Amino acid sequence: MSRLKKLYESTILDHNKNPRNFRVISPCSNSSHGKNPLCGDDYFVFLDIKEGIIEDISFHGSGCAISMSSGSLMTTHLKGKTVDYAYQNKDVFLKMVSKDMTSEEKKILGKLSVFEGVKDYPVRVKCAALVWRALEDALGKNKGEISTE
Amino acid sequence: MLTVDEIRKDFPILSRKINGKQYAYLDNTTTTHKPLSVIKTMTDFLKKENSSVNRGVYYLSQKATARCEETREKVQRFINAKREEEVVFTKGTTEAINLVATSFGSTLKKGDEVIITEMEHHANIVPWQQVCLSQGAIFKVIPFSDSGMLDQEAFDRLLSHKTKIVAITHCSNVLGTINSIKKMVEKAHKYGAKVLIDGAQAIQHLPIDVQDLDCDFYCFSGHKLYGPTGIGILYGKYELLSMMPPYQTGGDMIDIVTFEKTTFKETPYKFEAGTSAIVEIIGLGATIDYLENIGYETITLLEVPLLEYAMSELKQIEGISIYGSAAKRAGIISFNIDGVHAHDAGTIFDDEGVALRVGHHCAQPIMTHFGIPATIRASIGFYNTKEEIDKFIIGVKKIKEFFK
């Protein structure tokens, strides 16, 4: 069970059961719709950005425990931070779920490093990455739709 | 009767360990494992007899040609087709359906109607939807009830003289339902409509007699029948295949080619453009030999008690939703565990050494029907054991505990 326990770390199970920032922001400045057609994960990411600061961020939708907790922890992590910070974290997060990280990178991600166990499960990488891809899309253009498959 | 222990010796992969645990394979709807005799026939051909077909005047090429034709004959006997020319080699069920949708579908006119069912997998939906779009034909769907039964009254209402083709799955790959094909063929024929049966799932569980069913087309894949991938069969009534235009053109399917004009061979060759999947065709021949030796009677006697056992054990666990409860069904169980996403369950089953499928099973409209994104699906083959079902049930209980 140890590899599995690492994947479903207790923080992940908690954020899956009680997702934070699980709501719609309307109106919002930026948003995107992310889908994994193969498994049916389906989320919207909403942002309210003022002068380069993410004043509010939320997500809504349905999917597996990994994608749900990823949305919850991502939004918790980025609230009140700058757009540049969000981009930087997105890059490090996406690296973490498929490759080894440096200790410096680990520091940047803080609590988000609970998703490190995902890299042992290649088929689940897209679950963890989905909301981050949607975030990237939302930051790049005001509204959009992405698929990670 | 052969015992399951004897049968399992024919499938070396079944004794594998995964994650240090004995491997329980319950994904037989996706693909089945291959017996040693099939593996040996295919490797022996590659080692000793490899050559192309229908073109060489040398010994091995003639032998390869004869062996492929031998498989055609075996398939004819296996599904009780009237003549060999009614058996066309394809890549699989999907290509067989596309062949009919494209070739027979080219005769559809504006306003003609095509009927499928709500319980089809994508391979028996999309080709028809596309041909309706290109021909201006109307696409209609027979709904199913929550218990997984087709609405026969709706079918009666949808049928008319405008109906040109009805495409139905023999056995649902999600709900396990075995449809009353014979009755539905009879109804469709009253209106002059042709009927295509998608047999991808049925043929591993039931003996098929195309003359008794009186269907116009029947499609299946080798790899869901304990045979190789890359080979499938389209059965079509001779009169229909004869009048249908070729699907793909090129080598092997032609008679005479000039820059002014090309003439084509007769069925089945006019539908087999390019070099065939020779090794796989020969492998399919060995598969049929293997299955005929076991016999469908034995297959049923081995599979049915396992299905009943799995269902009764699963029903005893609280918080399980099972999709499909038709009386006549194959060993396919789709379900969800309350509060757990199917993909999370799949990862834990994998960790337990239980291989099964999670997702929409290439049948998104069935997911839409139940308002769910995905299901967990366990599917039983004749080589499965009671111990493997127990492992599966333990897995379900562990998942419940893990996500409680």
Side-chain angles (χ1 to χ4, degrees):
Chain A
M1 247 356 203
S2 72
R3 195 172 69 119
L4 203 59
K5 279 261 159 71
K6 207 173 145 202
L7 174 70
Y8 291 108
E9 207 268 350
S10 60
T11 313
I12 289 180
L13 290 177
D14 168 44
H15 278 257
N16 173 48
K17 262 195 153 169
N18 308 298
R20 328 301 197 251
N21 307 308
F22 191 67
R23 61 193 159 86
V24 176
I25 301 173
S26 176
C28 65
S29 64
N30 298 57
S31 71
S32 176
H33 186 192
K35 282 186 288 190
N36 282 332
L38 199 66
C39 54
D41 291 346
D42 190 324
Y43 293 97
F44 286 88
V45 170
F46 305 95
L47 295 127
D48 217 3
I49 301 172
K50 281 191 189 99
E51 291 165 10
I53 306 282
I54 300 170
E55 294 212 330
D56 200 4
I57 177 167
S58 73
F59 78 114
H60 204 262
S62 65
C64 65
I66 304 297
S67 61
M68 182 66 82
S69 55
S70 184
S72 178
L73 280 152
M74 176 186 83
T75 51
T76 311
H77 191 72
L78 297 181
K79 200 184 264 188
K81 301 289 190 335
T82 64
V83 169
D84 287 346
Y85 180 83
Y87 270 118
Q88 182 200 23
N89 273 267
K90 183 260 309 171
D91 289 339
V92 181
F93 185 91
L94 293 178
K95 186 187 167 192
M96 169 183 66
V97 291
S98 52
K99 292 188 192 95
D100 289 330
M101 278 191 301
T102 63
S103 55
E104 217 166 274
E105 287 168 330
K106 227 173 184 171
K107 228 181 265 166
I108 295 172
L109 289 178
K111 219 178 185 183
L112 293 178
S113 52
V114 293
F115 287 99
E116 230 187 324
V118 172
K119 74 170 180 294
D120 292 333
Y121 290 84
V123 294
R124 305 307 299 275
V125 170
K126 64 183 194 316
C127 312
L130 180 62
V131 287
W132 287 91
R133 292 283 184 205
L135 171 85
E136 178 183 32
D137 186 62
L139 291 175
K141 45 187 181 194
N142 292 341
K143 284 184 171 69
E145 190 154 313
I146 61 108
S147 159
T148 59
E149 281 168 51
Chain B
M1 186 180 121
L2 281 163
T3 65
V4 72
D5 291 338
E6 285 167 320
I7 286 171
R8 283 176 78 86
K9 285 184 196 144
D10 297 333
F11 295 86
I13 197 168
L14 296 176
S15 52
R16 261 204 78 149
K17 288 203 161 115
I18 304 273
N19 297 329
K21 289 168 187 161
Q22 184 59 47
Y23 179 50
Y25 186 77
L26 292 171
D27 195 18
N28 294 288
T29 302
T30 306
T31 197
T32 46
H33 292 314
K34 330 300 172 200
L36 276 171
S37 63
V38 172
I39 299 167
K40 187 170 183 307
T41 301
M42 291 172 75
T43 47
D44 278 356
F45 174 80
L46 285 168
K47 278 192 225 159
K48 299 173 201 160
E49 295 181 8
N50 180 50
S51 60
S52 197
V53 293
N54 303 333
R55 50 184 59 129
V57 290
Y58 49 93
Y59 171 73
L60 283 183
S61 176
Q62 288 176 52
K63 196 162 178 205
T65 308
R67 290 196 66 184
C68 283
E69 290 311 310
E70 212 177 274
T71 297
R72 204 187 299 276
E73 225 180 282
K74 284 179 189 171
V75 173
Q76 180 210 342
R77 199 182 58 233
F78 190 59
I79 60 172
N80 194 30
K82 225 181 266 174
R83 30 196 309 185
E84 280 172 45
E85 296 93 326
E86 296 181 322
V87 176
V88 180
F89 294 131
T90 66
K91 275 195 301 192
T93 305
T94 300
E95 193 185 42
I97 298 171
N98 272 280
L99 191 163
V100 179
T102 307
S103 170
F104 182 81
S106 69
T107 65
L108 292 173
K109 294 183 187 63
K110 200 165 182 256
D112 282 349
E113 295 182 357
V114 173
I115 300 177
I116 68 154
T117 86
E118 193 189 1
M119 66 167 77
E120 301 308 315
H121 65 151
H122 299 156
N124 205 25
I125 301 173
V126 189
W128 300 112
Q129 199 175 41
Q130 296 309 305
V131 76
C132 284
L133 279 175
S134 65
Q135 301 296 117
I138 300 159
F139 183 66
K140 296 195 161 175
V141 183
I142 310 166
F144 66 81
S145 65
D146 287 353
S147 63
M149 299 290 289
L150 286 176
D151 183 343
Q152 293 297 334
E153 283 171 18
F155 182 40
D156 294 340
R157 285 195 299 275
L158 291 174
L159 273 171
S160 76
H161 288 288
K162 287 186 199 158
T163 312
K164 292 294 173 277
I165 188 145
V166 180
I168 320 163
T169 186
H170 198 165
C171 170
S172 162
N173 70 323
V174 177
L175 308 165
T177 312
I178 294 166
N179 288 313
S180 318
I181 293 306
K182 205 174 161 178
K183 203 172 78 191
M184 294 178 80
V185 169
E186 223 178 276
K187 283 185 190 177
H189 282 172
K190 277 189 191 146
Y191 292 91
K194 305 298 176 209
V195 183
L196 175 139
I197 306 298
D198 173 351
Q201 296 306 333
I203 200 158
Q204 62 164 280
H205 305 289
L206 306 169
I208 303 302
D209 182 335
V210 290
Q211 289 191 67
D212 178 56
L213 291 172
D214 197 28
C215 56
D216 301 285
F217 302 101
Y218 198 97
C219 313
F220 64 93
S221 300
H223 77 103
K224 295 190 200 269
L225 188 65
Y226 307 92
T229 53
I231 177 69
I233 298 294
L234 167 68
Y235 156 81
K237 282 184 181 163
Y238 183 74
E239 320 74 84
L240 286 169
L241 292 179
S242 295
M243 55 71 74
M244 280 161 52
Y247 168 56
Q248 292 182 334
T249 53
D252 262 352
M253 54 78 69
I254 50 86
D255 182 19
I256 291 165
V257 179
T258 67
F259 289 122
E260 287 71 39
K261 191 187 163 191
T262 297
T263 53
F264 306 122
K265 283 183 181 160
E266 298 293 319
T267 184
Y269 306 107
K270 73 171 170 189
F271 296 113
E272 296 173 357
T275 302
S276 307
I278 301 163
V279 190
E280 289 74 15
I281 292 173
I282 290 167
L284 180 64
T287 307
I288 291 174
D289 291 342
Y290 181 81
L291 289 173
E292 284 184 333
N293 184 43
I294 290 191
Y296 276 103
E297 213 172 301
T298 303
I299 291 176
T300 306
L301 286 171
L302 290 170
E303 287 180 357
V304 171
L306 285 181
L307 170 66
E308 284 169 357
Y309 177 63
M311 280 295 236
S312 84
E313 288 292 303
L314 200 57
K315 280 178 181 164
Q316 281 174 40
I317 305 172
E318 252 179 75
I320 303 285
S321 311
I322 300 174
Y323 306 99
S325 55
K328 222 177 146 202
R329 61 179 301 154
I332 298 168
I333 306 171
S334 276
F335 67 101
N336 272 319
I337 304 168
D338 288 359
V340 183
H341 192 280
H343 274 251
D344 294 316
T347 294
I348 298 185
F349 276 122
D350 178 46
D351 203 73
E352 289 290 307
V354 178
L356 41 63
R357 177 119 176 237
V358 293
H360 56 57
H361 318 296
C362 297
Q364 288 173 358
I366 302 184
M367 302 299 117
T368 308
H369 177 104
F370 290 107
I372 49 174
T375 76
I376 307 163
R377 181 186 68 187
S379 49
I380 295 162
F382 60 75
Y383 45 47
N384 284 124
T385 62
K386 189 171 168 288
E387 289 71 32
E388 288 174 325
I389 303 295
D390 287 336
K391 259 176 82 93
F392 158 66
I393 294 294
I394 290 169
V396 174
K397 289 176 180 164
K398 279 198 177 163
I399 292 162
K400 280 200 64 174
E401 181 61 29
F402 199 89
F403 288 100
K404 75 167 187 226

